[in-house]
Amino acid sequence: MQEYLIYLACYGAFVIFVILVQVLIAAQQVGLSTLAGNREALTLTGLAGRMERAANNSLLALALVAPAVGMIHVAGTAPDLANLLLLTFLVARIFYVALYALGVTWLRTAAWMVAFLSNALLYLQLLL
């Protein structure tokens, strides 16, 4: 199996972990019965709110990176570049979530940008 597929699987597992952590922190803040409700007026704050936003952003990033990896795999283009870009994406996304949870703004933004550019370059390699 190509390394980039393993990195994508690792990122998928990481997103599941982030969602689980987010739910546990939110349950601590507002209670499990509130989370089991319809949540229409629920606003999470502090760490729970940051983790909710990080989880949502992580899902969006997964939705963007997975098709690129799938197309690269089918096309068989530049696996070494794909490996490097996916590993960079994975590490940057892990740092992004950790920095977001800690409330570190500029480094978080830098990590997001590295991951975003890595993802964009995956699509670019398909077009060239």
Side-chain angles (χ1 to χ4, degrees):
M1 182 174 354
Q2 295 288 344
E3 288 177 37
Y4 57 81
L5 293 175
I6 294 168
Y7 298 146
L8 180 61
C10 288
Y11 184 64
F14 177 70
V15 171
I16 290 170
F17 172 76
V18 169
I19 292 169
L20 178 61
V21 168
Q22 184 272 323
V23 168
L24 293 173
I25 292 170
Q28 251 186 337
Q29 185 180 86
V30 298
L32 193 54
S33 61
T34 301
L35 287 182
N38 59 23
R39 304 184 198 186
E40 288 177 5
L42 179 63
T43 302
L44 298 172
T45 59
L47 178 59
R50 288 192 305 275
M51 285 304 296
E52 180 180 45
R53 292 186 296 277
N56 290 340
N57 189 274
S58 295
L59 284 169
L60 180 61
L62 181 60
L64 288 173
V65 76
V69 172
M71 288 184 282
I72 286 167
H73 186 66
V74 169
T77 58
D80 291 336
L81 179 58
N83 288 340
L84 177 63
L85 290 172
L86 253 296
L87 179 58
T88 303
F89 172 85
L90 176 62
V91 171
R93 289 299 306 179
I94 291 169
F95 275 109
Y96 168 81
V97 169
L99 292 167
Y100 206 135
L102 295 171
V104 179
T105 54
W106 288 104
L107 287 176
R108 172 194 83 204
T109 301
W112 181 90
M113 186 61 78
V114 168
F116 182 81
L117 290 174
S118 297
N119 197 357
L121 289 172
L122 287 170
Y123 282 98
L124 187 61
Q125 91 168 16
L126 285 163
L127 296 173
L128 298 178

